[in-house]
Amino acid sequence: MDRGSLVAVLLASILHSAVVAAEDRHVFLNWEVSYSVRSPLGVSKRVIAINGRLPGPLLNLTTNDVAHVNVVNTLDEPFLLTWNGLQMRRNSWNDGVAGTNCAIQPGANWTYVFQAKDEIGSFFYRPSLGLHAAAGGHGPIRVNNRPVIDVPFPHPDGEFDVLIGDWYNMDAKEMKERLDRGRGLPPPDGILVNGLGPYEAEVTFKAGRTYRLRVSNVGARTSLNFRLQGHKLLLVEVEGTYTLQKHYASLDVHPGQSVSVLVAADQAPKAYYMVVSSLFVLPEIFGVATVLYAGSGEQPPSGDAPLDERSSHNNYNRSMEQAMSIRMNLTSGAARPNPQGSFHYGDINVTRTLLLRNDESDIGGRRRCTVNGVAFANAGTPLKLADYFRIAGVFKVVSGRPETRNPSLGTTVIDASYRDYVQIVFENRLPSMQTWHLDGHSFFVVGMAWGKWSPDARSTYNLVDAMYRSTVQVYPTSWTAVLVYLDNEGMWNLRSQDVEKRYLGQELYLRVRQGDSEVPDPRDELPMPSNALLCVF
Ligand SMILES: *[C@@H]1O[C@H](CO)[C@@H](O)[C@H](O)[C@H]1NC(C)=O
Ligand SMILES: *[C@@H]1O[C@H](CO)[C@@H](O)[C@H](O)[C@H]1NC(C)=O
Ligand SMILES: *[C@@H]1O[C@H](CO)[C@@H](O)[C@H](O)[C@H]1NC(C)=O
Ligand SMILES: *[C@@H]1O[C@H](CO)[C@@H](O)[C@H](O)[C@H]1NC(C)=O
Ligand SMILES: *[C@@H]1O[C@H](CO)[C@@H](O)[C@H](O)[C@H]1NC(C)=O
């Protein structure tokens, strides 16, 4: 290739990444958010429905599609949706969390516009304000491969979105008031599968076919174990990354996580149970759905659901081993033609280590969840807007290391440079499970172990084929380390996926930018959307 054409190719690729290409498909959706009443566990509860449905409609995109989702808020309170696991490239403006967006006021609407740029996989959306996520408002997201891009497994004969999650009969407003009074939430009342109570949800297989189940834990706070009586689960994808394909009898799915499994309908044609059980909490709770084989007479399964395997599932070590057994397939391509393993993440020098230690403290007479001593408090002005309009004093930039200080409330932001290669260590000294999620990025889950983290731990890391995902669990009195390439400019929420812990302060923001100069180059970060909402006080 001569120099001229090389420049032309480079230019073309820069331009391609800079603008939404003319051929990209635009998908226009209108979603009405309303209250509705459901009683999945026999107790009526006011839930949040989307277009009258819970779970809400499937957001079905193909790589590089541009979604225009007009969210109409008919609730009597401000509302926002966030796109859990989507990368929102260059576009934290549309991330839909309190630090990036003013809320959609009651009776108002707002159109999110974002591109599923260079991604593929299984995700979900959910409400982001207060305890709305405990009232529903969630739904599945699929980002399909473009036909020219291969998928590392045969095309399944059918796909099902399976949203599992713990459920509270208590009204979400009452849950919030309870936390505001300094009390904790009680244990959840049960587990739903696609918004339905025990034995209500069903899926139908045809014998001899293979199905893809896209399973997401959309619940408020409980880690879950998922299994399908008599069938093996072939894990193929986790939050947008293809895994080394491996059979599991059951899979742990922690709050906010998504996995795809292939299931071969290769058993005697009768009915089976899909069982979801709570991990690490007492009393243990279950969700049960039915898998029918078409033409088998569609009888309910004989006998009780196999709930008895549970004791083995409540072992932290087993769960941690399973987590570390999930590896990335280095040779399969993802949304782009180059293989997933072409980014040699283990060879890159870490430019910075963030050590985030969660804890619980009494602050001003109320129990709060802190990160390095600070319980996050939302500012009146979204941090993204404060940053854009250079409004001083809205947030406080912190170091991202534990500091000796009295626990306090604060609006904390960690500053990071665009293209920093950062190690984040989540250290959990508490006896409860933690789950952390970063918006705008996926990270390599290189290690987790009991006890305290130390820099020597690097010798135990998986620096070859660690899972690349956006939500990771941290076991009690243990740590989890991730590596992340900060290649997405913006103001990104780093949060607990446990709605209680998050509401009580376990979150912060990561500001990724190039220097402190003027307006970012639109190739690196999109300008503020013309329809950006103003806040109402
Ligand atoms: C999702 O979109 C793809 C590509 O347009 C289409 O083939 C598929 O049928 C859609 N799936 C559903 C469930 O709507
Ligand atoms: C609200 O919805 C209308 C269409 O009903 C649309 O024209 C308008 O752009 C939406 N407003 C915002 C801020 O997105
Ligand atoms: C879990 O593993 C740790 C460290 O290897 C060990 O000390 C502990 O006894 C194990 N616990 C169980 C219940 O097996
Ligand atoms: C990895 O991906 C390749 C496609 O590049 C596929 O042929 C292979 O079966 C996958 N390996 C595993 C173990 O999943
Ligand atoms: C990483 O750091 C080592 C030691 O400081 C240095 O020798 C090496 O060149 C660096 N590698 C890269 C890719 O920058």
Side-chain angles (χ1 to χ4, degrees), residues 199-397:
Y199 304 96
E200 296 286 340
E202 57 181 50
V203 296
T204 303
F205 288 173
K206 285 187 178 150
R209 306 281 169 87
T210 298
Y211 297 91
R212 180 175 187 174
L213 273 52
R214 298 176 186 252
V215 184
S216 294
N217 184 339
V218 299
R221 54 202 288 243
T222 309
S223 293
L224 300 174
N225 178 266
F226 175 84
R227 52 197 185 270
L228 224 166
Q229 187 182 23
H231 293 74
K232 281 189 175 151
L233 309 172
L234 182 65
L235 182 68
V236 294
E237 178 250 345
V238 170
E239 294 158 26
T241 302
Y242 293 122
T243 63
L244 281 179
Q245 294 165 26
K246 192 170 170 271
H247 279 107
Y248 291 90
S250 75
L251 274 169
D252 293 349
V253 189
H254 300 271
Q257 294 185 333
S258 302
V259 302
S260 273
V261 294
L262 296 183
V263 178
D266 56 2
Q267 296 301 304
K270 55 184 185 102
Y272 297 87
Y273 288 120
M274 180 188 289
V275 181
V276 185
S277 53
S278 61
L279 288 165
F280 323 128
V281 291
L282 291 170
E284 198 157 27
I285 46 176
F286 297 93
V288 183
T290 308
V291 179
L292 299 169
Y293 272 58
S296 67
E298 311 213 335
Q299 298 299 319
S302 49
D304 292 334
L307 308 181
D308 48 315
E309 296 157 37
R310 59 185 183 258
S311 48
S312 63
H313 296 295
N314 266 335
N315 182 324
Y316 288 118
N317 284 358
R318 188 208 65 89
S319 183
M320 197 187 273
E321 269 164 35
Q322 181 181 82
M324 295 314 289
S325 77
I326 300 174
R327 305 287 176 97
M328 174 167 66
N329 184 337
L330 298 175
T331 61
S332 66
R336 280 178 284 199
N338 51 323
Q340 294 183 144
S342 45
F343 183 70
H344 297 280
Y345 71 90
D347 296 342
I348 303 171
N349 289 334
V350 165
T351 48
R352 188 165 168 201
T353 295
L354 306 178
L355 181 57
L356 303 181
R357 187 178 294 157
N358 62 276
D359 207 343
E360 284 185 10
S361 298
D362 188 297
I363 302 174
R366 258 180 69 186
R367 186 173 65 94
R368 299 281 187 173
C369 295
T370 57
V371 183
N372 293 344
V374 181
F376 188 86
N378 275 305
T381 308
L383 313 185
K384 185 69 197 150
L385 293 177
D387 204 27
Y388 184 83
F389 291 111
R390 299 185 171 261
I391 307 168
V394 174
F395 55 81
K396 181 168 183 276
V397 174

Side-chain angles (χ1 to χ4, degrees), residues 386-428:
D387 204 27
Y388 184 83
F389 291 111
R390 299 185 171 261
I391 307 168
V394 174
F395 55 81
K396 181 168 183 276
V397 174
V398 293
S399 68
R401 311 282 301 189
E403 291 167 32
T404 345
R405 61 162 109 207
N406 289 328
S408 61
L409 290 178
T411 306
T412 35
V413 171
I414 295 175
D415 252 340
S417 300
Y418 185 51
R419 298 195 169 133
D420 258 1
Y421 191 60
V422 175
Q423 164 171 249
I424 307 178
V425 180
F426 300 107
E427 204 179 74
N428 178 19

Side-chain angles (χ1 to χ4, degrees), residues 25 58-62 65 142 144-145 147 155 159 161:
R25 192 174 69 134
L58 167 68
L59 176 56
N60 185 35
L61 302 174
T62 297
D65 278 358
R142 297 181 193 170
N144 304 293
N145 57 301
H155 194 70
E159 297 200 21
D161 303 294

